[in-house]
Amino acid sequence: MLNQSDFQFLAFPFPLWQRGLIALPLASVFGLVLLANCGLLLVVIRVRALWCPMYILVGALCLVDLLSVLVIIPNAVLVLLNPAHSISLAECLTQMFLTHFLSSLASTLLLAMALDRYVAICHPLRYRQLVNRSSFLALSFFMLLRSGSVMAVLVALAGSLDFCGSRVIEHLYCDHMALVQLGCGDTGLSRGAGVAVIVCFVGLDIPLIAMSYLQILVVVHRAGEDRWKALHTCGTHLIVLLVFYLVGTVAFLSHNLHLGLPPDLNTLMGLVYILLPATVNPIIYGVRTAEIRQGFSRVFSQSSRIWSRKRGVTSFKVCSRTAPAHKGSDPTHRGPGPADRGAGPTHRGAGPTHKGSDPTHRGPGPAHRGAGPTHKGSDPTHRGSEPATVNHIFLN
């Protein structure tokens, strides 16, 4: 039963089976985003060669995208499959804060990545002087302070409104303007705060990012480097950024600008604003980068070697228990392993030369061929065939 203080969501008012068809691709994209961002984040954490500012920023961007979809998409799928789902005002405000806070962090990270590339390419001799631990900590503090303070004020103003009319949010999640338009009385201050947020982030970040990429293109052109590759890379980044900021701005200010967009279109733009960057960022900033690809190969090759080594050790233990011991030898001797099978004729031919010799002598192992002076024939603890057996099984 719906409490009077709870809110319901209304988006895509179709029959339940059609809403399920919308939820299915949404859940599929959600799984793909989780897999891609977690994989890239794991590579950045595991490979020490990637512990530099540029790739740390890429990892931070993956983490922010991951948290964004976790805040939005599960609730959106639940709303599509259960139209009676409701949410309290406190839960709605919490989701609103996290959504806009993480989006503003992503915007600041994209700006930081553009400035990092600008300094590395346009001022390479001063890179270590400008990009160091203190500047990195200052950037982190600036990101958290700017995003946290601005979004806290925005959410506080929305939470101070009285909601005396409809409590149906025409969206799949608690968007700022979708909630503000339900408020009673004067909502001008909350609407003005929404415009200020756009000016603070989009109006500041977009010009700086565009200027950074423009300077990079100028330097690459003057240096006579691969201009087409640089233009393709910068152009791809700028197109994704433009879509990200344009869709987010229109979805965020559609009510203030009186654009008259249908609610379903506004909801779709809000989902694109969240899912598009989280889907393409691992490709643009990750897979297309040579160092990231090498990191993927290194991590997965290490995993495969560990798995193969575990299987090899298991096989060796089985062989060591079943291998027969030499007659008359020390009971601790394990005998020839699988690697010794090819040496059988040599041992048979050399049998007569062992008559009357030290009974503790075990004969040449595979590792001792051609190494007579170093042969430990009299050591009762010597196990000549073990290393070769492990290597043989491991290689197979």
Side-chain angles (χ1 to χ4, degrees), residues 303-319:
S303 301
S304 63
R305 284 200 300 269
I306 292 174
W307 174 250
S308 300
R309 189 178 297 113
K310 289 181 178 179
R311 295 183 63 185
V313 169
T314 304
S315 301
F316 171 72
K317 289 182 179 179
V318 173
C319 294

PDB file of all heavy atoms in Angstrom, residues 303-319:
ATOM      1  N   SER A 303      46.867 -15.188 -15.096  1.00  0.00           N
ATOM      2  CA  SER A 303      45.796 -16.045 -14.591  1.00  0.00           C
ATOM      3  C   SER A 303      45.857 -17.431 -15.230  1.00  0.00           C
ATOM      4  O   SER A 303      45.688 -18.448 -14.551  1.00  0.00           O
ATOM      5  CB  SER A 303      44.435 -15.397 -14.866  1.00  0.00           C
ATOM      6  OG  SER A 303      44.345 -14.130 -14.240  1.00  0.00           O
ATOM      7  N   SER A 304      46.121 -17.487 -16.536  1.00  0.00           N
ATOM      8  CA  SER A 304      46.192 -18.783 -17.210  1.00  0.00           C
ATOM      9  C   SER A 304      47.398 -19.581 -16.742  1.00  0.00           C
ATOM     10  O   SER A 304      47.320 -20.800 -16.586  1.00  0.00           O
ATOM     11  CB  SER A 304      46.244 -18.581 -18.725  1.00  0.00           C
ATOM     12  OG  SER A 304      47.411 -17.879 -19.103  1.00  0.00           O
ATOM     13  N   ARG A 305      48.552 -18.906 -16.483  1.00  0.00           N
ATOM     14  CA  ARG A 305      49.725 -19.616 -15.994  1.00  0.00           C
ATOM     15  C   ARG A 305      49.484 -20.181 -14.595  1.00  0.00           C
ATOM     16  O   ARG A 305      49.895 -21.294 -14.286  1.00  0.00           O
ATOM     17  CB  ARG A 305      50.938 -18.690 -15.986  1.00  0.00           C
ATOM     18  CG  ARG A 305      51.533 -18.457 -17.359  1.00  0.00           C
ATOM     19  CD  ARG A 305      52.957 -17.962 -17.240  1.00  0.00           C
ATOM     20  NE  ARG A 305      53.032 -16.705 -16.504  1.00  0.00           N
ATOM     21  CZ  ARG A 305      52.980 -15.498 -17.060  1.00  0.00           C
ATOM     22  NH1 ARG A 305      52.837 -15.401 -18.381  1.00  0.00           N
ATOM     23  NH2 ARG A 305      53.065 -14.403 -16.339  1.00  0.00           N
ATOM     24  N   ILE A 306      48.827 -19.409 -13.735  1.00  0.00           N
ATOM     25  CA  ILE A 306      48.515 -19.902 -12.392  1.00  0.00           C
ATOM     26  C   ILE A 306      47.621 -21.129 -12.471  1.00  0.00           C
ATOM     27  O   ILE A 306      47.814 -22.124 -11.769  1.00  0.00           O
ATOM     28  CB  ILE A 306      47.863 -18.783 -11.559  1.00  0.00           C
ATOM     29  CG1 ILE A 306      48.879 -17.667 -11.269  1.00  0.00           C
ATOM     30  CG2 ILE A 306      47.311 -19.334 -10.246  1.00  0.00           C
ATOM     31  CD1 ILE A 306      48.276 -16.460 -10.586  1.00  0.00           C
ATOM     32  N   TRP A 307      46.621 -21.073 -13.345  1.00  0.00           N
ATOM     33  CA  TRP A 307      45.718 -22.213 -13.494  1.00  0.00           C
ATOM     34  C   TRP A 307      46.460 -23.442 -14.019  1.00  0.00           C
ATOM     35  O   TRP A 307      46.268 -24.554 -13.538  1.00  0.00           O
ATOM     36  CB  TRP A 307      44.581 -21.839 -14.430  1.00  0.00           C
ATOM     37  CG  TRP A 307      43.664 -22.976 -14.781  1.00  0.00           C
ATOM     38  CD1 TRP A 307      43.533 -23.597 -15.985  1.00  0.00           C
ATOM     39  CD2 TRP A 307      42.739 -23.630 -13.902  1.00  0.00           C
ATOM     40  NE1 TRP A 307      42.594 -24.582 -15.916  1.00  0.00           N
ATOM     41  CE2 TRP A 307      42.087 -24.630 -14.652  1.00  0.00           C
ATOM     42  CE3 TRP A 307      42.410 -23.460 -12.563  1.00  0.00           C
ATOM     43  CZ2 TRP A 307      41.125 -25.455 -14.105  1.00  0.00           C
ATOM     44  CZ3 TRP A 307      41.446 -24.293 -12.016  1.00  0.00           C
ATOM     45  CH2 TRP A 307      40.821 -25.269 -12.784  1.00  0.00           C
ATOM     46  N   SER A 308      47.352 -23.233 -15.009  1.00  0.00           N
ATOM     47  CA  SER A 308      48.113 -24.347 -15.552  1.00  0.00           C
ATOM     48  C   SER A 308      49.066 -24.919 -14.511  1.00  0.00           C
ATOM     49  O   SER A 308      49.262 -26.129 -14.425  1.00  0.00           O
ATOM     50  CB  SER A 308      48.903 -23.887 -16.790  1.00  0.00           C
ATOM     51  OG  SER A 308      48.036 -23.414 -17.790  1.00  0.00           O
ATOM     52  N   ARG A 309      49.681 -24.048 -13.696  1.00  0.00           N
ATOM     53  CA  ARG A 309      50.596 -24.518 -12.667  1.00  0.00           C
ATOM     54  C   ARG A 309      49.871 -25.359 -11.621  1.00  0.00           C
ATOM     55  O   ARG A 309      50.369 -26.368 -11.155  1.00  0.00           O
ATOM     56  CB  ARG A 309      51.286 -23.323 -12.009  1.00  0.00           C
ATOM     57  CG  ARG A 309      52.419 -23.738 -11.064  1.00  0.00           C
ATOM     58  CD  ARG A 309      53.115 -22.531 -10.475  1.00  0.00           C
ATOM     59  NE  ARG A 309      53.758 -21.737 -11.504  1.00  0.00           N
ATOM     60  CZ  ARG A 309      53.389 -20.509 -11.846  1.00  0.00           C
ATOM     61  NH1 ARG A 309      52.364 -19.934 -11.233  1.00  0.00           N
ATOM     62  NH2 ARG A 309      54.029 -19.853 -12.789  1.00  0.00           N
ATOM     63  N   LYS A 310      48.667 -24.947 -11.249  1.00  0.00           N
ATOM     64  CA  LYS A 310      47.888 -25.732 -10.295  1.00  0.00           C
ATOM     65  C   LYS A 310      47.570 -27.107 -10.856  1.00  0.00           C
ATOM     66  O   LYS A 310      47.673 -28.125 -10.165  1.00  0.00           O
ATOM     67  CB  LYS A 310      46.599 -24.993  -9.935  1.00  0.00           C
ATOM     68  CG  LYS A 310      46.818 -23.760  -9.066  1.00  0.00           C
ATOM     69  CD  LYS A 310      45.500 -23.100  -8.735  1.00  0.00           C
ATOM     70  CE  LYS A 310      45.710 -21.892  -7.829  1.00  0.00           C
ATOM     71  NZ  LYS A 310      44.439 -21.205  -7.498  1.00  0.00           N
ATOM     72  N   ARG A 311      47.206 -27.171 -12.117  1.00  0.00           N
ATOM     73  CA  ARG A 311      46.918 -28.462 -12.739  1.00  0.00           C
ATOM     74  C   ARG A 311      48.174 -29.303 -12.819  1.00  0.00           C
ATOM     75  O   ARG A 311      48.146 -30.523 -12.618  1.00  0.00           O
ATOM     76  CB  ARG A 311      46.336 -28.266 -14.130  1.00  0.00           C
ATOM     77  CG  ARG A 311      44.982 -27.590 -14.133  1.00  0.00           C
ATOM     78  CD  ARG A 311      44.438 -27.491 -15.535  1.00  0.00           C
ATOM     79  NE  ARG A 311      44.209 -28.823 -16.098  1.00  0.00           N
ATOM     80  CZ  ARG A 311      43.832 -29.025 -17.340  1.00  0.00           C
ATOM     81  NH1 ARG A 311      43.649 -28.015 -18.161  1.00  0.00           N
ATOM     82  NH2 ARG A 311      43.638 -30.253 -17.780  1.00  0.00           N
ATOM     83  N   GLY A 312      49.324 -28.698 -13.113  1.00  0.00           N
ATOM     84  CA  GLY A 312      50.583 -29.431 -13.193  1.00  0.00           C
ATOM     85  C   GLY A 312      50.999 -30.008 -11.872  1.00  0.00           C
ATOM     86  O   GLY A 312      51.431 -31.159 -11.769  1.00  0.00           O
ATOM     87  N   VAL A 313      50.873 -29.260 -10.792  1.00  0.00           N
ATOM     88  CA  VAL A 313      51.240 -29.759  -9.464  1.00  0.00           C
ATOM     89  C   VAL A 313      50.361 -30.933  -9.074  1.00  0.00           C
ATOM     90  O   VAL A 313      50.809 -31.922  -8.512  1.00  0.00           O
ATOM     91  CB  VAL A 313      51.146 -28.609  -8.433  1.00  0.00           C
ATOM     92  CG1 VAL A 313      51.265 -29.157  -7.020  1.00  0.00           C
ATOM     93  CG2 VAL A 313      52.223 -27.574  -8.696  1.00  0.00           C
ATOM     94  N   THR A 314      49.071 -30.852  -9.382  1.00  0.00           N
ATOM     95  CA  THR A 314      48.162 -31.952  -9.077  1.00  0.00           C
ATOM     96  C   THR A 314      48.569 -33.222  -9.806  1.00  0.00           C
ATOM     97  O   THR A 314      48.615 -34.314  -9.229  1.00  0.00           O
ATOM     98  CB  THR A 314      46.720 -31.564  -9.451  1.00  0.00           C
ATOM     99  OG1 THR A 314      46.379 -30.370  -8.765  1.00  0.00           O
ATOM    100  CG2 THR A 314      45.757 -32.679  -9.095  1.00  0.00           C
ATOM    101  N   SER A 315      48.939 -33.108 -11.107  1.00  0.00           N
ATOM    102  CA  SER A 315      49.341 -34.274 -11.876  1.00  0.00           C
ATOM    103  C   SER A 315      50.615 -34.873 -11.322  1.00  0.00           C
ATOM    104  O   SER A 315      50.789 -36.084 -11.265  1.00  0.00           O
ATOM    105  CB  SER A 315      49.526 -33.883 -13.354  1.00  0.00           C
ATOM    106  OG  SER A 315      48.325 -33.362 -13.875  1.00  0.00           O
ATOM    107  N   PHE A 316      51.551 -34.024 -10.881  1.00  0.00           N
ATOM    108  CA  PHE A 316      52.810 -34.515 -10.352  1.00  0.00           C
ATOM    109  C   PHE A 316      52.599 -35.335  -9.084  1.00  0.00           C
ATOM    110  O   PHE A 316      53.211 -36.376  -8.879  1.00  0.00           O
ATOM    111  CB  PHE A 316      53.757 -33.348 -10.070  1.00  0.00           C
ATOM    112  CG  PHE A 316      54.989 -33.761  -9.317  1.00  0.00           C
ATOM    113  CD1 PHE A 316      55.970 -34.498  -9.948  1.00  0.00           C
ATOM    114  CD2 PHE A 316      55.137 -33.442  -7.981  1.00  0.00           C
ATOM    115  CE1 PHE A 316      57.094 -34.887  -9.255  1.00  0.00           C
ATOM    116  CE2 PHE A 316      56.254 -33.837  -7.292  1.00  0.00           C
ATOM    117  CZ  PHE A 316      57.237 -34.555  -7.921  1.00  0.00           C
ATOM    118  N   LYS A 317      51.708 -34.896  -8.222  1.00  0.00           N
ATOM    119  CA  LYS A 317      51.463 -35.631  -6.992  1.00  0.00           C
ATOM    120  C   LYS A 317      50.911 -37.018  -7.285  1.00  0.00           C
ATOM    121  O   LYS A 317      51.269 -37.996  -6.637  1.00  0.00           O
ATOM    122  CB  LYS A 317      50.486 -34.851  -6.112  1.00  0.00           C
ATOM    123  CG  LYS A 317      51.109 -33.602  -5.504  1.00  0.00           C
ATOM    124  CD  LYS A 317      50.124 -32.887  -4.618  1.00  0.00           C
ATOM    125  CE  LYS A 317      50.768 -31.656  -3.984  1.00  0.00           C
ATOM    126  NZ  LYS A 317      49.799 -30.924  -3.136  1.00  0.00           N
ATOM    127  N   VAL A 318      50.078 -37.136  -8.259  1.00  0.00           N
ATOM    128  CA  VAL A 318      49.530 -38.443  -8.614  1.00  0.00           C
ATOM    129  C   VAL A 318      50.625 -39.352  -9.148  1.00  0.00           C
ATOM    130  O   VAL A 318      50.757 -40.508  -8.761  1.00  0.00           O
ATOM    131  CB  VAL A 318      48.404 -38.285  -9.651  1.00  0.00           C
ATOM    132  CG1 VAL A 318      47.956 -39.635 -10.157  1.00  0.00           C
ATOM    133  CG2 VAL A 318      47.250 -37.527  -9.042  1.00  0.00           C
ATOM    134  N   CYS A 319      51.499 -38.812 -10.052  1.00  0.00           N
ATOM    135  CA  CYS A 319      52.564 -39.615 -10.636  1.00  0.00           C
ATOM    136  C   CYS A 319      53.558 -40.050  -9.579  1.00  0.00           C
ATOM    137  O   CYS A 319      54.070 -41.162  -9.614  1.00  0.00           O
ATOM    138  CB  CYS A 319      53.283 -38.836 -11.734  1.00  0.00           C
ATOM    139  SG  CYS A 319      52.254 -38.496 -13.167  1.00  0.00           S
TER     140      CYS A 319
END
